[in-house]
Amino acid sequence: MYAQYVARRFGMMLLVIVLAVSINFLLPRLMPGDPVEAQLNQLLATGGGGGDISAMVEAYRARFGLDQPLFAQYLSYWKAVFSLDLGVSLAAYPERVSHAILAGLPWTLGLLGFATLVSFVIGTWLGGLLGWPRTPRVTRVFGTGLILFSSVPYFLIGMVLLYLFAIVFRWFPAGGGMPFGQSVGFNWQTLTAIAWHGTLPAASIILAEIGAWALGMRGMMVSVLGEDYITLAEAKGLKPRRIFRWYGLRNALLPQLTKLAMTLGHIVSGAILVEVIFSYPGIGFRLYQAIQANDYFVIQGIVLLLSVSIAIAMFILDLAYPLIDPRITTGRD
């Protein structure tokens, strides 16, 4: 039964990836305008080149394979995807798209991965406590205060933190991922510098996300309190702490895990505005620059990375579900 379950989920993941790659290929080509011509016109407008624009457009279209029939381009695109060759940047030629993504990906994964997991753990635990009737009153007051932040967009929280702690008090840097002129290395100095620069961006995301996680968990906790297994556990005389952890929190956790997988899948572009506000050198800031420059090979590469990461995250989550609730593989209610 479990093998069939895994095979179905794996097939679903492949189908999602095929559809995502196909849509990612078609959408830029259905958009009006020619990105190569737009880039060359922009270059000429800034005095960066000269000559016959039509000849340059044809040369670049041939260089990027855009003069081929659509189906031939589609097959070439699949071949490039399998070989991890996502082309070259139009705005920063001859930089390769894969190099641009790999340069920003560690910064985004480090910042948003840390902030998402911290906010998930704190928010889920807090929501469980708020939904539990035996929670002390002081915890409810403190938790309600944190939930108020969920109604404020994280980029607004980031702007407030930037003004207070970077401009007024000067406790943290106003932007960047490292001090200017310092090179990245595997040493304590680099780790402290990265943590120092990432404190304000991470804090803005954590403060905004804790309330959202807590609200979702609180609602699920309230719904499971009326289930028969909670009543049975109380009738058996189990300790309240054990009922909270193993009967309440565990059964209310499934929707939270689904949201976590989708959040991690969107982690690449999830906080573009935060990276823009703090000039953080992550993949979200790189996507923002590519959209501004109509650099659609870079946009295409980042969107492809986002789609595949969501599909893989959902597949991993599907494999983890039966470990939490065995009824999923058997199809029982």
Side-chain angles (χ1 to χ4, degrees):
M1 183 67 73
Y2 185 72
Q4 294 178 359
Y5 173 80
V6 173
R8 286 198 304 270
R9 297 303 175 183
F10 185 72
M12 184 66 69
M13 182 191 69
L14 292 181
L15 178 61
V16 170
I17 291 177
V18 169
L19 290 176
V21 171
S22 300
I23 293 174
N24 193 39
F25 167 81
L26 285 175
L27 277 183
R29 288 162 174 81
L30 295 177
M31 293 171 61
D34 189 321
V36 175
E37 187 174 352
Q39 282 296 323
L40 290 177
N41 282 328
Q42 185 175 352
L43 180 64
L44 292 175
T46 57
D52 185 1
I53 182 67
S54 299
M56 294 174 65
V57 168
E58 292 304 320
Y60 272 82
R61 287 176 60 84
R63 170 67 181 81
F64 297 130
L66 299 177
D67 59 339
Q68 300 293 321
L70 189 63
F71 187 68
Q73 292 184 43
Y74 182 66
L75 295 179
S76 299
Y77 185 68
W78 268 107
K79 182 180 177 181
V81 169
F82 279 117
S83 61
L84 301 179
D85 181 11
L86 302 177
V88 295
S89 169
L90 290 172
Y93 184 84
E95 182 188 29
R96 304 204 69 80
V97 174
S98 56
H99 180 268
I101 293 176
L102 290 176
L105 196 57
W107 295 96
T108 295
L109 291 179
L111 172 66
L112 297 183
F114 173 78
T116 300
L117 292 178
V118 169
S119 61
F120 168 76
V121 172
I122 297 177
T124 299
W125 185 259
L126 181 64
L129 289 176
L130 293 177
W132 187 244
R134 296 183 179 87
T135 299
R137 186 179 182 85
V138 64
T139 304
R140 294 181 179 278
V141 173
F142 177 72
T144 304
L146 281 178
I147 287 178
L148 291 178
F149 283 106
S150 64
S151 59
V152 182
Y154 46 69
F155 62 89
L156 286 182
I157 297 178
M159 293 174 70
V160 172
L161 295 179
L162 178 67
Y163 175 75
L164 289 178
F165 298 106
I167 297 177
V168 176
F169 299 118
R170 298 178 183 272
W171 291 349
F172 295 97
M178 291 277 292
F180 182 75
Q182 181 177 335
S183 58
V184 178
F186 293 97
N187 51 56
W188 180 249
Q189 185 181 10
T190 298
L191 290 176
T192 54
I194 291 175
W196 188 45
H197 280 71
T199 298
L200 291 183
S204 63
I205 298 172
I206 291 172
L207 286 175
E209 291 292 327
I210 281 180
W213 290 113
L215 281 176
M217 188 62 186
R218 180 183 176 278
M220 287 305 303
M221 178 61 82
V222 170
S223 67
V224 301
L225 287 178
E227 296 292 338
D228 293 338
Y229 48 79
I230 296 290
T231 305
L232 178 62
E234 292 174 340
K236 290 169 66 177
L238 298 180
K239 294 182 179 179
R241 180 176 297 179
R242 183 176 180 184
I243 298 176
F244 171 71
R245 290 181 178 174
W246 293 100
Y247 293 86
L249 202 63
R250 183 179 178 183
N251 286 284
L253 199 58
L254 283 175
Q256 293 287 96
L257 291 177
T258 303
K259 183 181 177 183
L260 176 64
M262 297 188 69
T263 303
L264 291 176
H266 286 91
I267 205 167
V268 173
S269 61
I272 295 177
L273 290 178
V274 169
E275 292 189 355
V276 172
I277 290 172
F278 291 97
S279 300
Y280 200 77
I283 201 71
F285 187 53
R286 188 68 180 87
L287 177 61
Y288 168 75
Q289 292 177 316
I291 293 173
Q292 278 195 320
N294 292 324
D295 194 351
Y296 92 109
F297 281 128
V298 175
I299 299 173
Q300 202 175 29
I302 295 176
V303 172
L304 176 64
L305 173 69
L306 175 64
S307 305
V308 173
S309 62
I310 292 175
I312 294 176
M314 294 303 297
F315 175 65
I316 294 174
L317 178 67
D318 285 336
L319 296 184
Y321 263 154
L323 301 178
I324 302 172
D325 188 353
R327 295 174 301 178
I328 292 177
T329 54
T330 60
R332 292 187 289 110
D333 295 330

